[in-house]
């Protein structure tokens, strides 16, 4: 009896290279990726630097994308991604992704694209109005190719990416039912803890984002981190230390929730055992914001120190970081190539590799020629 073949567990995720990564990326995804890598539960792991996607709304800004490919790679490696366990690769250098983006376009309607809530809100944010680049509107199709062309089973991303995974699942289903079963339907993996889902900006705005200038970057030095933390937005009703304070919706406490461990308390703030105790005291009154912010500085710098020193080492040999990307991209392309062969066959567009097709076409022509001959003979006989 044939043993049932196990489907390889493949993780794939990615980021647009439009800026250095910040602590919001770290708690929202990067930290988890490193954990997943070290747990070793996946057969294959891919992290894509999505430069093609970054270009969909940066066509006039190629310098930004070009520069940030290496920045994002440096951030990955310094945060602990190990290129011997995870294939880090560059999206634009995998031709199969463009090829299947194009085929997948035949399987999706315009109205389906226009309904995508993430695209809708991004369009509103960018103020494209009537001048939406076609490539931007269709990037969910390109992202479906990113996911499907590697046999991905799990996509760890934030909630805002759920519509993209849905789109990829729909395309896989549509392709499989229209042609032949080739693509797996991927599953989303959302961040585990609540505070990790979205880290607010230092100004208290809902999202940490480069354009809002409210980020703490993984590569910020100690003095910069301290300066940013000391000027952070806190509880506007907590004017004097003795006033009772609010910890909910207070970014300083949201950051502590995401980063502070009991060990940090033992080392930097021994008056309290853990965050629950500090919160209770702050809410009761008697704790000044400066004290809490100084603790947050110590915590963040403790987390960022090893990341910064790893980055510093890597920055000394940029050529070898590009080599890591190049080798990763080669490995990724081998995988995409293999899946593309099956997908082209399913669609019948593998004209030169498909020997059965050549035979079939030859037989059809042989038959046609025979019939032609028979007909000519018949006509000739009739004339006589
Ligand atoms: N859209 C993702 C983002 O903006 C980046 C991305 C591109 C991605 N391709 C992907 C994420 C494939 C997961 C899988 O963050």
């Amino acid at each position: 009896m044939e043993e049932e073949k196990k489907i390889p567990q493949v993780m794939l995720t990615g980021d647009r290279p439009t800026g250095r990564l910040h602590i919001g990326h770290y708690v929202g995804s990067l930290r988890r990726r490193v954990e997943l890598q070290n747990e070793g539960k996946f057969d294959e792991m891919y992290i894509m630097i999505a430069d093609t996607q970054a270009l969909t709304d940066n066509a006039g800004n190629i310098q930004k994308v070009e520069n940030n490919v290496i920045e994002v790679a440096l951030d990955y490696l310094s945060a602990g991604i190990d290129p011997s366990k995870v294939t880090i690769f560059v999206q634009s250098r995998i031709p199969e992704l463009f090829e299947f983006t194009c085929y997948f376009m035949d399987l999706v309607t315009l109205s389906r694209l226009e309904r995508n809530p993430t695209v809708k809100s991004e369009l509103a944010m960018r103020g494209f109005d009537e001048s939406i680049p076609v490539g931007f509107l269709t990037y969910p199709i390109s992202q479906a190719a990113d996911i499907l062309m590697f046999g991905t089973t799990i996509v760890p991303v934030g909630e805002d990416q759920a519509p993209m995974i849905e789109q990829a699942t729909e395309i896989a289903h549509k392709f499989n039912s229209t042609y032949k079963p080739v693509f797996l339907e991927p599953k989303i993996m959302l961040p585990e803890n609540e505070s990790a889902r979205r880290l607010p900006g230092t100004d208290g705005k809902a999202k940490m984002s480069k354009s809002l200038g409210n980020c703490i970057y993984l590569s910020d030095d100690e003095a910069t981190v301290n300066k940013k933390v000391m000027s952070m937005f806190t509880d506007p009703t907590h004017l004097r230390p003795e006033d009772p304070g609010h910890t909910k919706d207070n970014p300083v406490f949201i950051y502590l929730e995401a980063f502070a461990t009991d060990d940090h308390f033992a080392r930097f703030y021994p008056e309290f055992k853990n965050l629950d105790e500090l919160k209770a005291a702050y809410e009761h009154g008697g704790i000044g914001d400066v004290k809490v912010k100084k603790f947050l500085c110590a915590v963040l710098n403790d987390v960022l120190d090893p990341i910064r020193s790893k980055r510093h080492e890597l920055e000394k040999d940029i050529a070898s970081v590009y080599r890591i990307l190049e080798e990763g991209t080669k490995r990724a392309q081998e995988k995409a190539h293999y899946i593309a062969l099956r997908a082209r066959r399913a669609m019948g567009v593998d004209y030169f590799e498909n020997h059965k097709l050549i035979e079939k076409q030859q037989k059809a022509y042989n038959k046609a020629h025979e019939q032609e001959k028979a007909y000519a003979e018949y006509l000739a006989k009739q004339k006589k």
Side-chain angles (χ1 to χ4, degrees), residues 234-235 237-238 244-257 275-276 278-284 292:
T234 59
D235 172 9
T237 68
H238 185 243
H246 297 88
T247 57
K248 198 174 163 280
D249 298 328
N250 181 337
V252 173
F253 279 91
I254 298 174
Y255 288 13
L256 286 174
E257 224 148 78
L275 189 56
D276 287 340
L278 173 61
K279 272 183 173 172
Y282 186 89
E283 281 165 10
H284 177 267
V292 186

Side-chain angles (χ1 to χ4, degrees), residues 8 27 35 50 86 136 154 165 178 182-183 189 208 220 225 245 257 272 282 296 327 353 362:
V27 295
E35 282 167 15
V86 175
F136 189 83
I154 296 289
I165 317 306
T178 306
V182 171
F183 294 113
M189 179 193 252
M208 195 175 271
D220 279 347
V225 171
E257 224 148 78
F272 300 102
Y282 186 89
L296 177 59
E327 278 161 17
E353 294 85 13
Q362 186 63 67

Side-chain angles (χ1 to χ4, degrees), residues 12-16 48 50 53 143 146-147 155 157 161:
L12 181 139
T13 187
D15 300 285
R16 296 182 195 180
M48 159 188 289
Q53 190 174 111
Q143 187 161 336
D146 299 344
I147 295 168
V155 190
V157 280
Q161 293 294 302

